[in-house]
Amino acid sequence: MKELVEYIAKSLVEDPSQVNVVVTEEGEHIRIELTVAKEDMGRIIGKGGRVANSIRTLLRVAAAREGKRASLDVLEP
């Protein structure tokens, strides 16, 4: 799932080298923290949070296929 979030984020931002994904697993729950350059925050969040919510939806589907739950946090740089 880390690879999925990294791929999507790097495809959206101008500076892919600043994309950082940290995964924390607690039983069946996976928490993914995404950090990007400050200039790229708008591209990841999107208008009204639509892009971030779309990434979360894809992540939930991927996690459900593995029988797990996942959440995505977009952190300020």
Side-chain angles (χ1 to χ4, degrees):
M1 277 176 259
K2 177 180 180 178
E3 296 81 18
L4 174 66
V5 174
E6 271 184 357
Y7 177 77
I8 295 170
K10 286 182 179 182
S11 298
L12 292 172
V13 298
E14 283 188 25
D15 187 6
S17 65
Q18 295 289 323
V19 173
N20 185 25
V21 179
V22 177
V23 178
T24 307
E25 291 192 41
E26 300 170 2
E28 290 190 14
H29 184 76
I30 300 169
R31 181 176 182 211
I32 298 179
E33 297 176 347
L34 173 64
T35 308
V36 296
K38 189 170 189 163
E39 300 81 33
D40 291 323
M41 285 297 287
R43 293 177 186 269
I44 293 294
I45 295 172
K47 197 174 224 177
R50 288 184 182 184
V51 175
N53 286 334
S54 297
I55 296 171
R56 286 184 181 107
T57 301
L58 291 170
L59 186 60
R60 278 191 217 111
V61 170
R65 287 186 174 184
E66 296 180 13
K68 298 184 178 187
R69 293 182 322 154
S71 63
L72 174 69
D73 295 327
V74 181
L75 303 178
E76 298 261 348

